[in-house]
Amino acid sequence: MSSLTIVTLLILTLCLYSNEVSSSSEISVSTPFAIGSRVILRSIDDKSEKPDYAVELNATNFDSVLKETPAAYAVVEFFAHWCPACRNYKPQYEKIAKIFNGADAVHPGIILMTRVDCALKINTDLCDKFSVGHYPMLLWGPPSKFVSGSWNPKQEKSEIRSIDDGRTADRLLNWINKQLSSSYRLDDEKFENDQLQKNASDIGQIARAIYDIEEATSTAFDIILDHKMIKSETQASLVKFFQLLVVHHPSRRCRKGTSEILVDFDDFSSNKKETDSAGEKGALRNYQICGKDVPRGYWMFCRGSKNETRGFSCGLWVLLHSLSVRVDDGESQMAFTTICDFIHSFFICEECRQHFYSMCSSVSSPFKKSREFVLWLWDTHNKVNKRLMKEEASLGTGDPEYPKIIWPPRQLCPSCYLSGSGKNDGNSRIEWDHDEVYKFLMGYYGKTLVTLYKDKELLVEKRADGVLAEDLAVSASAHAVVVPVGAALAIAVASCAFGALACYWRQHQKSRKYKYLHSLKNI
């Protein structure tokens, strides 16, 4: 058979095949895959698959995810994708993950449900560190204990525990309920039968608000962009507020994200009369003001018993209070005008905006001390609460589990009330001990607010320092040198001097940084 005949037969075969494909009513002619391709079938099947709620972790993101989560506890399932028992267990585990993970969870921010595939080579060392000896294996503990951590079944004192009775969704949830003294159920609905923390006398509750402050900061940024609120007349107010956040925001992630926006702000706002077009919707959208995982889509300290109550407004108030207790005396007036201008320019609730700005305008003399500003914001918040208490009572729009009250309640700060003061129901006149109120606010919105956040940071830093210390000890033993006493004394004195100098430099840099950012207000 000649080569010409072979080529002709091939062309005829391809033509007939093409006609068959184009005549099929089930496959589109534009499909880039061959008929019967497993890729096509898999893509169709994937659309019908339910989403996974458990967070897939591996050796590259294990520490970072567990370090940053706001959840108080974590469950880590170690499994192998080839294991039939693991595949059968996955739907059971997903039922629990759906309750706790993500913005649509019934009880978000309490437990982080995660999975690690030990069959992947990248996770071999990670699974060895946690003594994985069978599949599936579940471990429970505070997220920070998993970070750079390990587990051994023979270890007597460990906050990481093995879950031995969790082979079904019901049994796993029962085990969790026993640990937390809770009553979560598989059929719980969002905001119904919720384990809301309503004990106002528990001062430690505010520690979880650090995550709500991040949520409020990111939400406010999104609102500004969504509603194209950055105009030539409001731009300076936003820059000044960002300057305040860079120095005094209680969250390191938000300070970092805001500083990145400020550094590049002039790149997409210069030479534009209004930045609500490509600059605001394009360039600014690329910035994540509080990190890639924020907003999370749910609230913790500020969570209401209804979808429409508390949330963003609560988070914004906590943000403002946390800023007020962090400014120095010389910054108090600037912080006051910055916050007033920001609310006036960017708070989208018209009535609330006007009310707040009228209270700002009623201040007749500038603040000379940060104490004055802290107490003014506290008093302003109480005036807002008092007004809303009456409106919500008459209209029935308040949160039944979190009615508005005058803050702080007596059980949270008894020393704030002078003897014989009235009830904090909005009707009685309360005699406050302002010194005690100020002391309470500084502790509540200052140290207590960031307790959980700082503890996680400190724990990770200590572990990192511990590893470094071990490395240095090994290095020192391998290269031991005899140091004369005089030289050792000189080194000690030099170290002390350097430490003092470092402290001074750090404080100086903070001042310089703030002054520099303040100079950007005319951008």
Side-chain angles (χ1 to χ4, degrees), residues 357-407:
Y357 200 70
S358 67
M359 289 186 284
C360 288
S361 303
S362 66
V363 176
S364 55
S365 55
F367 295 117
K368 296 181 179 179
K369 299 285 186 181
S370 60
R371 179 182 185 274
E372 299 170 1
F373 175 47
V374 170
L375 290 175
W376 174 85
L377 188 63
W378 159 76
D379 185 55
T380 297
H381 194 173
N382 271 338
K383 287 177 179 176
V384 171
N385 278 354
K386 191 172 183 178
R387 175 175 59 84
L388 292 178
M389 285 164 66
K390 296 177 181 178
E391 292 181 5
E392 291 178 354
S394 61
L395 298 172
T397 55
D399 191 320
E401 300 292 346
Y402 295 95
K404 292 285 190 300
I405 60 172
I406 303 302
W407 189 260

Side-chain angles (χ1 to χ4, degrees), residues 314-355:
C314 166
L316 188 60
W317 271 116
V318 179
L319 169 62
L320 298 183
H321 285 297
S322 70
L323 293 172
S324 73
V325 301
R326 285 168 172 79
V327 300
D328 298 327
D329 288 343
E331 305 167 327
S332 55
Q333 179 61 24
M334 182 279 302
F336 163 73
T337 56
T338 296
I339 287 175
C340 288
D341 289 344
F342 176 78
I343 297 297
H344 186 62
S345 299
F346 299 107
F347 198 64
I348 205 162
C349 172
E350 180 65 20
E351 184 178 350
C352 305
R353 184 175 69 89
Q354 293 293 349
H355 274 293

